[in-house]
Amino acid sequence: MSPIEHVWDALDQRVGQRVHVPSNIQQRCAAVEEEWDNIPQVFNSKTAELISHHQVGIKQSFPKEGWVEEDPKEILQSVYECMERTCEKLGQLNIDISNIKAVGVTNQRETTLVWDKETGEPLYNAIVWLDLRTQSTVERLINSTPGKNKNHLKTGLPISTYFSAVKLRWLMDNVEEVAEAVLTHRAMFGTVDSWLIWCLTGGKSGGVHITDVTNASRTMLFNIHTLDWDPELCKYFDVPMEILPQVKSSSEIYGSVNSGSLAGVPISGCLGDQSAALVGQMCFQDGQAKNTYGTGCFLLRNTGIKPVMSEHGLLTTLAYKLGKDSPAYYALEGSVAIAGAVVRWLKDNLGIIQSSAEIEKLAGDVGSSYGCYFVPAFSGLYAPYWEPSARGLTQFTNTSQLAFAALEAVCFQTREILEAMNQDYGVPLSQLQVDGGMTSNRLLMQLQADVLCIPVVKPSMSETTALGAAMAAGAAEGVGVWSLTPGDLTTIPTDKYQPLINPEGLGSK
């Protein structure tokens, strides 16, 4: 989860949890980031400085090929642990935790849970966004639509295993406990943000069942134009609307932490991880874009208050809605299924590196892939192809060339998405803002600038996802410790990678 500070601003749910805390005694916002580990993080609301954090890994299970699950109770427990450990660290820094004025949550968007509202118990493991078990359901749905069209204008999404509705449908069809809870009106559905906020605000004893527009827009049940659950879509997927969380803005007080060191602190920010990164990168202007390099790659471009419907295989999604009475902003999004995951594959499956950090040196030893092409389609291909059955890896000569080709593959997939985005948006991007764990690889960042032929800008503070959740929490009405007025935004130092090669010499891999 993400950091806890001036305001506990963001709960970031990826596959783990972290918390970060800023160092001075000013007001702070805490963020809980749930990704592959949970990381609570605390930020200074005036300087955006990260004060402290704590990280706990979350175990994933793989019951069958293509299935990816996480234990909802482990996710929750890791959040509680991270919150307490972060508060302890703040005490060691002589920072009064009463300076934490708000908590924000950020999470992997499509990961799907169902729990019993009377017992508070999850009814099955969380089905992770990468999970492919619903492929047959997706094919059946596409075949039943007129013209076998996989795209839906109400949602801005294609019918895909990626999104929550088909995961929820699988749970209702295949897990007896879920089906029974739905029939007896005890079931609650949510992405991880909903589960965490419900539990943190009291659970079965008055917990708040909500989500925000950015997470709701990834379910295939949400109308991105009306900004609410769509009865027609719910009927199409045969999902009862009573099990859905109430949709809120990304920045308002939803409730308060019910127990622990932060009891009474309002939870006032909620953003899906990629939207949180967009906010953390301060991409508030129409046309600005960021790319997050994590397990996958996620490129979002702010398109303003009107949705741009893609004609080139991209998604139209909610970027953020920073207040109940504030307008919703939209984004075009392209996602690469496998980015950092390919580095783990080189380490865990092939054993050619002992740690992820080693790939930069190994690839740098050759400086070229020498014709070795790597197609990382372990979970199929996402944007702009949406082809779940795609697989392929060409012959390689040696391990250094394979390592270089793996990095290059991430860059070329990003270029494909950006080219599609430029066509949809109508104006070429002039520079790309980047974040995520892979951005510490300087060779990768230079390759990306060379492949895109535009500057790549990396903030010195890498925790932009948690920062975005903290900013949303701190800016909420009733909290008001973080100003998002353009003139008040903190300037964060950056590293800029300029393209070093001529576009004509790049090739078209």
Side-chain angles (χ1 to χ4, degrees):
M1 294 199 127
S2 32
I4 313 167
E5 213 239 294
H6 180 356
V7 177
W8 181 311
D9 218 331
L11 252 177
D12 179 356
Q13 173 267 329
R14 295 180 193 166
V15 180
Q17 316 226 18
R18 279 178 297 187
V19 179
H20 296 284
V21 185
S23 60
N24 65 13
I25 58 173
Q26 298 178 350
Q27 293 174 320
R28 294 164 174 79
C29 298
V32 178
E33 176 181 358
E34 183 275 318
E35 299 285 347
W36 304 106
D37 19 47
N38 281 323
I39 310 170
Q41 308 177 52
V42 179
F43 295 93
N44 185 307
S45 63
K46 301 302 181 186
T47 66
E49 176 192 5
L50 176 62
I51 296 174
S52 180
H53 77 278
H54 187 79
Q55 181 169 348
V56 175
I58 295 175
K59 182 181 178 182
Q60 290 190 319
S61 59
F62 308 91
K64 297 182 181 179
E65 184 179 358
W67 292 28
V68 188
E69 298 178 0
E70 295 168 8
D71 181 351
K73 296 176 79 171
E74 181 187 352
I75 294 172
L76 179 63
Q77 184 55 43
S78 69
V79 169
Y80 281 125
E81 179 183 345
C82 283
M83 290 168 62
E84 295 305 312
R85 296 294 82 76
T86 300
C87 288
E88 289 177 8
K89 291 180 179 180
L90 287 175
Q92 294 167 4
L93 294 170
N94 295 318
I95 294 174
D96 189 343
I97 62 172
S98 67
N99 288 323
I100 295 177
K101 302 302 181 183
V103 172
V105 176
T106 177
N107 58 288
Q108 294 178 335
R109 297 168 294 179
E110 300 83 9
T111 298
T112 299
L113 302 89
V114 178
W115 64 95
D116 188 315
K117 65 182 178 182
E118 294 182 3
T119 67
E121 292 293 311
L123 298 172
Y124 190 79
N125 279 342
I127 300 180
V128 176
W129 62 276
L130 279 172
D131 189 281
L132 295 175
R133 76 186 67 191
T134 56
Q135 184 55 37
S136 60
T137 302
V138 167
E139 291 170 356
R140 174 173 54 80
L141 290 169
I142 292 173
N143 288 334
S144 67
T145 57
K148 297 184 177 181
N149 184 1
K150 67 173 70 173
N151 298 311
H152 204 294
L153 294 178
K154 281 188 176 184
T155 67
L157 311 174
I159 300 173
S160 167
T161 59
Y162 188 9
F163 307 109
S164 303
V166 289
K167 303 180 196 298
L168 175 57
R169 186 66 260 160
W170 185 93
L171 287 167
M172 293 168 64
D173 290 340
N174 294 278
V175 180
E176 183 178 346
E177 293 83 354
V178 172
E180 181 182 351
V182 170
L183 287 174
T184 56
H185 309 288
R186 293 181 292 110
M188 283 184 164
F189 154 78
T191 42
V192 178
D193 59 303
S194 296
W195 165 245
L196 291 178
I197 292 172
W198 185 78
C199 292
L200 289 171
T201 56
K204 63 181 180 180
S205 302
V208 179
H209 188 211
I210 66 99
T211 189
D212 89 302
V213 293
T214 67
N215 282 293
S217 71
R218 312 296 291 192
T219 62
M220 290 198 296
L221 301 172
F222 183 78
N223 188 317
I224 62 173
H225 307 283
T226 65
L227 302 181
D228 207 349
W229 302 118
D230 190 274
E232 185 181 21
L233 291 170
C234 291
K235 183 178 180 181
Y236 177 74
F237 289 103
D238 196 17
V239 169
M241 296 183 71
E242 67 180 30
I243 74 173
L244 304 178
Q246 184 179 3
V247 181
K248 299 279 191 176
S249 77
S250 308
S251 179
E252 61 180 278
I253 295 176
Y254 315 117
S256 297
V257 178
N258 181 258
S259 62
S261 298
L262 294 177
V265 176
I267 300 174
S268 53
C270 181
L271 288 156
D273 54 0
Q274 302 312 318
S275 288
L278 193 74
V279 171
Q281 288 270 23
M282 303 181 196
C283 293
F284 295 125
Q285 294 182 20
D286 191 337
Q288 287 186 298
K290 70 88 199 172
N291 196 27
T292 297
Y293 298 75
T295 304
C297 268
F298 300 89
L299 177 55
L300 271 70
R301 188 168 192 180
N302 189 331
T303 63
I305 60 174
K306 291 186 178 180
V308 174
M309 307 308 292
S310 177
E311 298 181 358
H312 300 91
L314 304 180
L315 310 178
T316 303
T317 194
L318 266 296
Y320 50 81
K321 186 178 189 295
L322 296 175
K324 289 187 288 186
D325 299 321
S326 298
Y329 280 73
Y330 296 85
L332 281 169
E333 176 174 343
S335 44
V336 172
I338 301 296
V342 77
V343 179
R344 284 201 303 274
W345 182 78
L346 293 175
K347 177 173 71 75
D348 298 339
N349 293 54
L350 296 190
I352 68 172
I353 53 176
Q354 299 304 308
S355 68
S356 297
E358 291 179 21
I359 192 172
E360 182 174 358
K361 181 180 186 306
L362 183 63
D365 287 343
V366 287
S368 170
S369 62
Y370 290 94
C372 174
Y373 300 146
F374 195 120
V375 182
F378 305 153
S379 297
L381 293 173
Y382 282 9
Y385 302 105
W386 299 103
E387 179 48 68
S389 61
R391 298 288 187 274
L393 176 64
T394 61
Q395 184 67 35
F396 60 87
T397 304
N398 62 42
T399 56
S400 292
Q401 291 166 10
L402 179 57
F404 193 97
L407 296 180
E408 211 173 36
V410 174
C411 298
F412 278 103
Q413 288 183 103
T414 297
R415 186 176 77 169
E416 284 192 298
I417 289 174
L418 185 56
E419 287 174 345
M421 196 168 282
N422 285 339
Q423 289 180 284
D424 281 330
Y425 187 72
V427 179
L429 189 69
S430 60
Q431 72 173 25
L432 179 65
Q433 295 171 232
V434 299
D435 57 77
M438 292 187 79
T439 60
S440 62
N441 187 319
R442 294 168 297 176
L443 174 60
L444 175 66
M445 293 297 94
Q446 186 59 57
L447 280 172
Q448 190 67 88
D450 292 343
V451 166
L452 296 181
C453 301
I454 59 174
V456 167
V457 180
K458 173 185 175 292
S460 59
M461 198 280 292
S462 62
E463 301 298 340
T464 53
T465 302
L467 175 61
M471 291 168 64
E477 183 178 356
V479 177
V481 298
W482 205 311
S483 173
L484 300 184
T485 302
D488 295 337
L489 293 175
T490 300
T491 299
I492 297 175
T494 60
D495 296 322
K496 181 176 284 192
Y497 294 82
Q498 297 283 357
L500 299 179
I501 65 174
N502 190 315
E504 284 72 23
L506 187 60
S508 56
K509 295 184 181 181

